[in-house]
Amino acid sequence: EVLFMQLDLASLRSVRAFASAFLRQEPHLHLLINNAGVSAGGTTEDGFSLPFQVNHLGHFLLTQLLLERLQSCAPSRVVIVASSAHRAGRLRLDALGRPPPGPLSTFQDYCDSKLANVLHARELATRLQGTQVTCYAVHPGFVNTELFRHAPLWLKPLFLPLVWLFFCDAAEGAQTSLHCATHDGLERFSGRYFADCRLQEPRPPARDDRLALALWEASERLVGL
């Protein structure tokens, strides 16, 4: 049975309302897949850049609000959909949640949020050791979804044919997330990064434990935890 519930990651108020409603209605939670993502620019009602809040801060808050239920239902898993775009990420902890400067601000903001996804999984795994809750960061591949619907009009005639020719469809793009959600024996890889249903090494900044901790503490402050 599939139940749909309202959740807007661009609103921390909505995230809190969703978590409260879910915890009242559902006694069990064994799997959380943080899959939503946007590549558009703009600012949320909370004053953060849209990509960084939807792709990281909203998921960070949601995971924290549901964590006690995941632990009480262990063994359970958290899958955080990141991207190989984390390779171009550069987190500015003193300006976290604000759009980066420069002509490619929106693209850089997206990449920064994907680096935050990989680091979130890494620090979450550290904090969950011994709880039977494990977590994984995932690169789904280049997937033909509506992620690029906000691309500039002049770019779409050039870009969209490439998407249709070379990107995989949504079902194929879901395979690595499903692998990390369901495959037996992955517990020892908690906090690691997967692509093509295989363990991969992310770029060095995504393996920086000090940066992961600093991001965690900054994210807690920004979402009011």
Side-chain angles (χ1 to χ4, degrees):
E1 182 182 8
V2 179
L3 302 177
F4 292 91
M5 298 176 66
Q6 176 74 18
L7 171 59
D8 180 2
L9 289 162
S11 165
L12 299 181
R13 175 177 47 83
S14 175
V15 174
R16 293 180 188 278
F18 168 85
S20 178
F22 179 88
L23 293 171
R24 284 196 310 269
Q25 297 173 26
E26 302 294 332
H28 300 290
L29 178 60
H30 300 281
L31 175 63
L32 173 63
I33 302 180
N34 290 323
N35 181 70
V38 297
S39 61
T43 304
T44 69
E45 66 179 44
D46 301 293
F48 303 116
S49 75
L50 183 66
F52 199 81
Q53 178 165 337
V54 171
N55 299 354
H56 170 62
L57 289 175
H59 285 142
F60 178 86
L61 176 60
L62 178 65
T63 304
Q64 288 301 98
L65 294 176
L66 298 179
L67 200 53
E68 187 175 326
R69 183 62 49 86
L70 283 162
Q71 289 176 290
S72 69
C73 296
S76 52
R77 295 184 182 185
V78 178
V79 178
I80 301 172
V81 178
S83 169
S84 62
H86 81 273
R87 297 172 182 273
R90 297 192 303 270
L91 290 180
R92 301 166 304 132
L93 293 174
D94 60 337
L96 204 64
R98 300 204 298 270
L104 298 177
S105 174
T106 299
F107 174 73
Q108 186 63 54
D109 210 6
Y110 177 79
C111 295
D112 294 350
S113 72
K114 296 292 109 179
L115 174 57
N117 289 154
V118 182
L119 290 169
H120 179 199
R122 191 173 185 90
E123 179 64 18
L124 182 60
T126 298
R127 292 169 179 257
L128 289 174
Q129 289 180 11
T131 66
Q132 289 192 290
V133 182
T134 54
C135 57
Y136 312 90
V138 165
H139 169 51
F142 297 101
V143 188
N144 183 9
T145 66
E146 293 188 3
L147 177 66
F148 305 103
R149 65 189 180 277
H150 301 292
L153 290 176
W154 63 267
L155 183 60
K156 287 185 177 181
L158 303 173
F159 184 64
L160 293 183
L162 298 176
V163 172
W164 286 103
L165 284 172
F166 298 111
F167 284 30
C168 63
D169 62 27
E172 294 171 311
Q175 294 309 305
T176 304
S177 295
L178 293 173
H179 174 80
C180 289
T182 63
H183 197 73
D184 290 336
L186 295 185
E187 290 77 12
R188 67 187 185 278
F189 301 121
S190 184
R192 303 288 294 278
Y193 174 76
F194 284 76
D196 296 321
C197 297
R198 297 193 305 271
L199 189 66
Q200 304 274 339
E201 280 295 308
R203 294 290 293 168
R207 305 195 303 268
D208 185 335
D209 289 328
R210 288 184 297 179
L211 182 58
L213 175 58
L215 171 67
W216 183 284
E217 292 175 344
S219 299
E220 282 186 323
R221 290 194 300 270
L222 291 177
V223 301
L225 291 176

